Amino acid sequence: MNFKSFLIKYAEIGVKGKNRFLFEDALVKQINHALKPLDGEFKVYKEVGRIYVDASDYEYEEVIDALQHVFGIVGICPVVQVEDLGVEELKKQLVSYMDEMYPDKNFTFKVNARRARKNYPLNSMEINAAMGEAILDAFPECHVDVHTPQILLNIEIRTIINIYSETITGPGGMPIGTAGKGMLLLSGGIDSPVAGYMTAKRGVNLEAVYFHTPPYTSERAKQKVMDLAKKVAAYTGPIKLHVVNFTDIQMEIFEHCPHEELTIIMKRYFYRMAEELAERNGCLALITGESIGQVSSQTMQSLGVINEVCKKIPVFRPLIAFDKQDIVDISEKIGTYEISIEPYEDCCTTFVAKHPVTKPNLNKIKSSEEKIGDQIQEMVKKAIENVEEIIISNKSVC
Ligand code: ATP
Ligand code: MG
């Protein structure tokens, strides 16, 4: 069937009053954004508790895929809209809808009418009965099942009448733009893209920072991070990726600090610099892919010591209590897994010690850091001043 409209369903919990307008407006904006690159004509609009997308000259699969990337949408219903030409005409329209939608008539169904306009001659129960009967008359092989129907035929009597029976699941969450902006620490691994996706799902706009250590980490490793950002950007819209050259700082730490403390001290520098970049770019939190106990730098003690450098904004770790397999499942769903497992090295693996500390002591780490000397402050400053900014969108890298 060639649908001319889609009815967009969104969860209404927590979006009452003024928030509801903000939520709906943000959702309309994000839907427009998602559809913009596609072929076709689209009109997105809201109407008393409903959002519709009118579409023509479009590719069905492409539109569904785009809408499934818009946070805030819980269901996408391809809808047939008919004018109110009386009860008898509606029966005919429903019969032809069912005929076209379900060539095999051996189905069970239930009619679910809702009357938003009270001047319709039949009430909801009467519509259910009349339309159910018309369908049974037209297709004697089918049956009514009010408890577990295979097809739930929805009829909404509004100024216009909506007919729909399919709901394609959306990603859920809140539309991007309904919360603030966060700075994602994005590595080439499995976890951080998932952490970004999950935070964005709550409406948070993302920027990202990647600490690059050439020549120890290759251009291909950087490209991998860009490819991952692109996958996440399919949900968020364009992401500003800050690429920080971390080599001098890394070497300085390597030279002056005990090797079993390298990862912890390096992470403390990541956090310090990410916090600075967050502040400069209006981000309200850092976001990382850490999860308790995954590696030595993610024990409770290590996380505490790393976290200590963040004084101004909170660090969000949406995966903190996730098992690896749960993270992998999400990364497969959002299409980052295949990229994450590409074999390009990251700086953590290049500079990792054989026996890293698992229970670092904050005072000891601080005194190790003091051994580095003041030149590191200059290096940090220089790295931040020379940060490379790349705008990454799901369509192209600009
Ligand atoms: P991931 O799979 O996200 O790489 P991981 O399990 O490999 O995580 P770590 O390497 O300890 O864990 O990194 C923990 C977190 O620190 C990452 O999830 C990411 O948020 C951040 N991080 C690590 N390396 C970098 C990097 N080079 N640039 C930016 N952030 C990084
Ligand atoms: Mg990693």
Side-chain angles (χ1 to χ4, degrees):
M1 180 149 2
N2 184 15
F3 290 98
K4 294 198 185 84
S5 296
F6 297 87
L7 170 59
I8 303 298
K9 296 204 161 167
Y10 50 90
E12 291 175 43
I13 301 161
V15 279
K16 299 254 151 45
K18 197 171 144 238
N19 283 343
R20 183 183 181 122
F21 285 99
L22 293 175
F23 182 99
E24 288 172 341
D25 289 347
L27 192 50
V28 167
K29 190 172 158 205
Q30 290 301 314
I31 294 172
N32 271 316
H33 190 81
L35 296 174
K36 207 169 156 195
L38 306 193
D39 287 335
E41 297 261 320
F42 305 102
K43 186 178 154 216
V44 186
Y45 57 98
K46 55 178 192 171
E47 205 188 83
V48 270
R50 287 271 181 271
I51 289 176
Y52 295 98
V53 177
D54 288 352
S56 55
D57 300 324
Y58 69 94
E59 193 67 53
Y60 182 83
E61 301 297 336
E62 212 177 60
V63 168
I64 296 298
D65 182 63
L67 294 173
Q68 283 184 311
H69 282 79
V70 178
F71 292 133
I73 296 180
V74 293
I76 305 149
C77 310
V79 64
V80 169
Q81 297 192 306
V82 296
E83 274 184 57
D84 179 10
L85 300 172
V87 173
E88 289 311 308
E89 191 56 29
L90 181 60
K91 284 183 187 170
K92 283 190 207 151
Q93 286 160 329
L94 279 175
V95 167
S96 89
Y97 171 88
M98 292 300 274
D99 197 20
E100 205 178 327
M101 282 292 282
Y102 305 102
D104 175 3
K105 302 296 181 294
N106 205 353
F107 56 73
T108 62
F109 77 103
K110 174 185 172 180
V111 181
N112 176 38
R114 281 215 292 173
R115 202 173 55 141
R117 177 159 62 77
K118 299 297 172 203
N119 64 357
Y120 196 74
L122 307 182
N123 67 26
S124 301
M125 295 293 278
E126 289 164 342
I127 303 170
N128 288 343
M131 300 304 146
E133 202 175 288
I135 291 167
L136 285 172
D137 284 349
F139 313 117
E141 315 91 293
C142 68
H143 301 281
V144 170
D145 181 345
V146 291
H147 300 295
T148 50
Q150 289 163 338
I151 298 166
L152 183 66
L153 176 59
N154 295 287
I155 307 170
E156 289 181 356
I157 311 281
R158 298 173 160 250
T159 318
I160 202 112
I161 299 175
N162 287 332
I163 302 170
Y164 62 95
S165 56
E166 299 284 319
T167 302
I168 300 142
T169 314
M174 305 282 282
I176 298 283
T178 51
K181 197 162 57 168
M183 180 65 77
L184 171 66
L185 281 84
L186 183 61
S187 70
I190 293 171
D191 306 323
S192 45
V194 173
Y197 165 85
M198 292 199 46
T199 312
K201 193 173 169 190
R202 299 308 303 157
V204 176
N205 234 322
L206 295 183
E207 294 201 7
V209 54
Y210 168 58
F211 296 94
H212 189 35
T213 320
Y216 304 100
T217 52
S218 63
E219 279 305 298
R220 196 59 194 79
K222 176 177 157 191
Q223 183 61 45
K224 182 182 174 186
V225 172
M226 289 163 66
D227 293 344
L228 288 170
K230 193 168 165 177
K231 286 284 176 192
V232 179
Y235 291 90
T236 59
I239 294 178
K240 193 200 276 183
L241 173 68
H242 306 262
V243 179
V244 175
N245 187 323
F246 195 69
T247 313
D248 289 350
I249 302 163
Q250 178 82 69
M251 296 318 290
E252 208 62 19
I253 300 170
F254 191 71
E255 218 164 282
H256 295 97
C257 301
H259 286 188
E260 66 273 15
E261 293 174 357
L262 280 183
T263 309
I264 301 289
I265 296 176
M266 183 188 77
K267 287 271 158 66
R268 280 166 63 89
Y269 276 95
F270 281 4
Y271 274 49
R272 288 184 177 107
M273 296 169 81
E275 190 178 55
E276 175 68 28
L277 285 168
E279 218 186 6
R280 289 182 184 211
N281 290 277
C283 298
L284 303 176
L286 300 185
I287 302 153
T288 79
E290 288 152 326
S291 158
I292 296 174
Q294 223 190 59
V295 287
S296 62
S297 57
Q298 296 176 31
T299 60
M300 296 272 280
Q301 292 85 348
S302 297
L303 288 171
V305 169
I306 295 168
N307 204 82
E308 192 265 344
V309 297
C310 267
K311 307 283 190 206
K312 297 178 200 155
I313 54 174
V315 181
F316 293 164
R317 298 180 177 87
L319 309 182
I320 199 70
F322 274 46
D323 288 345
K324 192 73 184 186
Q325 189 55 48
D326 298 334
I327 303 170
V328 166
D329 290 349
I330 300 174
S331 73
E332 282 177 333
K333 192 182 83 181
I334 64 173
T336 53
Y337 183 74
E338 287 303 320
I339 303 170
S340 293
I341 59 170
E342 288 173 6
Y344 309 105
E345 73 297 338
D346 70 18
C347 57
C348 309
T349 45
T350 310
F351 289 92
V352 79
K354 270 215 180 74
H355 299 289
V357 280
T358 52
K359 292 182 184 160
N361 174 287
L362 181 58
N363 290 332
K364 195 163 172 291
I365 295 287
K366 279 184 170 173
S367 68
S368 298
E369 282 181 349
E370 275 163 22
K371 294 195 192 97
I372 306 176
D374 289 345
Q375 68 282 9
I376 199 161
Q377 308 310 338
E378 274 309 306
M379 290 173 182
V380 165
K381 216 172 127 202
K382 192 172 138 212
I384 288 180
E385 294 306 333
N386 294 327
V387 65
E388 182 188 4
E389 289 179 359
I390 310 170
I391 306 292
I392 297 194
S393 89
N394 63 326
K395 293 293 153 199
S396 60
V397 177
C398 11

